[in-house]
Amino acid sequence: MIRPYITEKSMAKANDGKYTFVVDNDSNKKVVQSQVKKIFGVNVSKVTILNRQGKTGYFKRKFGKRNDLKIAVATLEKGQKINEFTIEEPQKTSEKVK
């Protein structure tokens, strides 16, 4: 496993128990499941793998390509969560600002 994949959409999914990671290109579902269980100590019920092709284009008159990404979405069992991913909602105050 390389790193967590942090976007607005992935953070919204994290509230539903689906956590997104960028993984090595040779990783499969069983490897991702065992790594998440080993690192975070949670049980994974389902893993989905996405292969994203890097965009191509020009930069300073040279043709280039971004790196390809392999993204894994790990769905945890009900009642479990990874604390590093959750964002707490700010508490609403009832005080009026003058």
Side-chain angles (χ1 to χ4, degrees), residues 29-82:
K29 292 181 180 185
K30 294 288 183 186
V31 171
V32 172
Q33 184 176 10
S34 65
Q35 288 292 319
V36 171
K37 185 174 183 176
K38 179 181 172 184
I39 294 171
F40 298 107
V42 293
N43 294 327
V44 179
S45 62
K46 181 180 171 184
V47 175
T48 306
I49 301 284
L50 307 167
N51 287 308
R52 278 193 26 197
Q53 298 296 319
K55 292 183 179 182
T56 57
Y58 291 93
F59 180 73
K60 292 188 178 180
R61 298 183 193 153
K62 292 185 180 181
F63 184 76
K65 181 179 177 290
R66 294 183 190 169
N67 293 334
D68 298 335
L69 288 177
K70 189 169 196 176
I71 299 171
V73 179
T75 304
L76 303 184
E77 292 182 0
K78 290 195 176 206
Q80 294 187 343
K81 64 180 180 176
I82 299 174

Side-chain angles (χ1 to χ4, degrees), residues 12-27:
K13 284 184 178 181
N15 293 333
D16 297 331
K18 296 181 180 185
Y19 298 92
T20 310
F21 302 95
V22 176
V23 295
D24 295 325
N25 286 333
D26 58 344
S27 296

